[in-house]
Amino acid sequence: MRLLRFLTVVVVLGVGCKRESARGPDDALRLGFFPNITHAQALVGNAEGMFASEPGVGKLEVKQFNAGPAAMEALVAGSLDVSYVGTGPSINTFLKAGRELRVIAGAVNGGAVLVTRTAKSAAELKGKKLATPQLGNTQDIALRYWLKQQGVETNLDGTGDLQIVPLSNSDILVQYLRGGIEGAWVPEPWGTRMLLEPGGGGQVLVDEKSLWPGGRYPTTVVVTTRKAIETQRSRIVALLRAHVKLTERWEKEPEAFATAVNAAFGQLTQKPLKPPILQGAFSRLEPSLDPVGSALAAAAQHAQELHFIPASDINGLVDLSLLEEARGARD
């Protein structure tokens, strides 16, 4: 219940924020993303100016976020128009903010792992401390649901067979290298960094890809709101044309695209990834314009079973008509 109250507060704060006044055609289209390689198309599109130069986008303003809830709060409050984000925050926001949010394209599939230092089974995790990037985020739900399937009890109040602590990805890496946690369920490149950074090691106990039919599940999707579609559809379609080009470039030239992602990542963080880490991380990522609706529905079901959300009906969440329009106009 404490978590539900927290999540409700987050959304209420977002809904209650002062909404932007009516926007005109000369106002900038506002795009959000995170400085994370699972937001690969956004990193390259921003760094190389592909979004801004795509005909029809117009004036563009790019905003960086560190986590999904903050980006979704901005989107619902009307201070953001489009964003790259994980599936957990998008589902939660859709269900708790008047079903306004829309998933309009897939971006990245795969790339989440449970790395452990010593434990080689779920049973061996009992009594230990694990971490996830945020309470109730995509990886936190994945870890708790997997543990539940393995018969390992975890509770949202911190009790249970093991302890799960919320830490930022960078803090997870630091704590793992120092021996402060047994492991973590994290997106790439953090899993590979835990394995390959000096002082790291251990093993991938679970590659989340192995848990989904055909190994397909979305890690990052592109979202907007129903209102933004109504008022700025043509500009969002133009933005998606750039997203499609970036995705196809990744498919055709994966190594060169990974290098471009690392260059953009390095510009933003001042810490480009070392080649072995970049290669290891990208080996688990897959570009995908398909948000895999069946996996979104399953993820919503998992979140409901864990009492993160009150319902799992996400009918209306996915709207691929803009993506189809973007691809049709390009062909």
Side-chain angles (χ1 to χ4, degrees), residues 42-54 60 242:
L43 284 168
V44 176
N46 175 55
E48 298 185 358
M50 289 185 63
F51 293 129
S53 63
E54 180 66 31
L60 181 70

Side-chain angles (χ1 to χ4, degrees), residues 32-51:
F33 75 99
F34 311 159
N36 194 320
I37 68 167
T38 53
H39 290 215
Q41 294 97 323
L43 284 168
V44 176
N46 175 55
E48 298 185 358
M50 289 185 63
F51 293 129

Side-chain angles (χ1 to χ4, degrees), residues 262-307:
N262 200 28
F265 181 79
Q267 289 178 7
L268 295 176
T269 65
Q270 309 304 312
K271 295 180 180 179
L273 300 172
K274 297 177 181 177
I277 292 175
L278 182 68
Q279 183 177 6
F282 263 83
S283 71
R284 298 190 178 92
L285 300 179
E286 175 190 2
S288 175
L289 295 172
D290 179 4
V292 196
S294 59
L296 290 174
Q301 184 64 42
H302 299 169
Q304 184 188 23
E305 290 185 27
L306 294 168
H307 307 295

Side-chain angles (χ1 to χ4, degrees), residues 8 30 64 105 112-113 116 118 131 144 176 227 232:
T8 300
R30 299 155 304 180
Q64 290 183 47
V113 291
T116 57
T118 60
R144 293 176 188 275
Y176 184 75
K227 181 178 180 181
Q232 303 190 72

